[in-house]
Amino acid sequence: TIAEELFNQNHSKYEGCCFLAVNEDLRRQGMTSLKEKLFSSLLGEDVKIHTPNGLSNYIEKRIGRKKVLIVLDDV
């Protein structure tokens, strides 16, 4: 898709990046799994989300310092 090509051309300019096919992943795995995949990709480490509506202070501080590219495809 066009979104995927633009992502591939620009992802190297960012400290963290993630391309998610939202509709497909959400249907198969659920929202918590989708959030874990997003933050794991952005931080470069395995992230577990324990509350569906919040993030730990650790994740918020790490993400807040990064320039990231997030593409949500098929929303």
Side-chain angles (χ1 to χ4, degrees):
T1 67
I2 294 172
E4 192 170 5
E5 183 58 33
L6 289 172
F7 176 83
N8 289 333
Q9 290 176 5
N10 293 294
H11 76 278
S12 62
K13 299 174 188 173
Y14 297 87
E15 297 173 63
C17 58
C18 185
F19 185 94
L20 293 174
V22 174
N23 199 19
E24 188 176 307
D25 288 348
L26 186 60
R27 185 177 35 242
R28 280 190 280 138
Q29 301 170 345
M31 181 60 76
T32 302
S33 178
L34 192 66
K35 287 172 66 174
E36 288 175 347
K37 185 175 178 181
L38 170 67
F39 290 111
S40 293
S41 179
L42 293 176
L43 295 174
E45 63 186 62
D46 189 34
V47 172
K48 295 295 178 199
I49 306 289
H50 301 290
T51 57
N53 294 326
L55 293 174
S56 70
N57 289 335
Y58 170 76
I59 294 173
E60 287 184 17
K61 286 179 184 177
R62 297 262 331 267
I63 291 292
R65 297 180 187 151
K66 289 185 172 239
K67 181 179 174 183
V68 300
L69 173 64
I70 302 170
V71 176
L72 305 175
D73 194 30
D74 195 22
V75 176

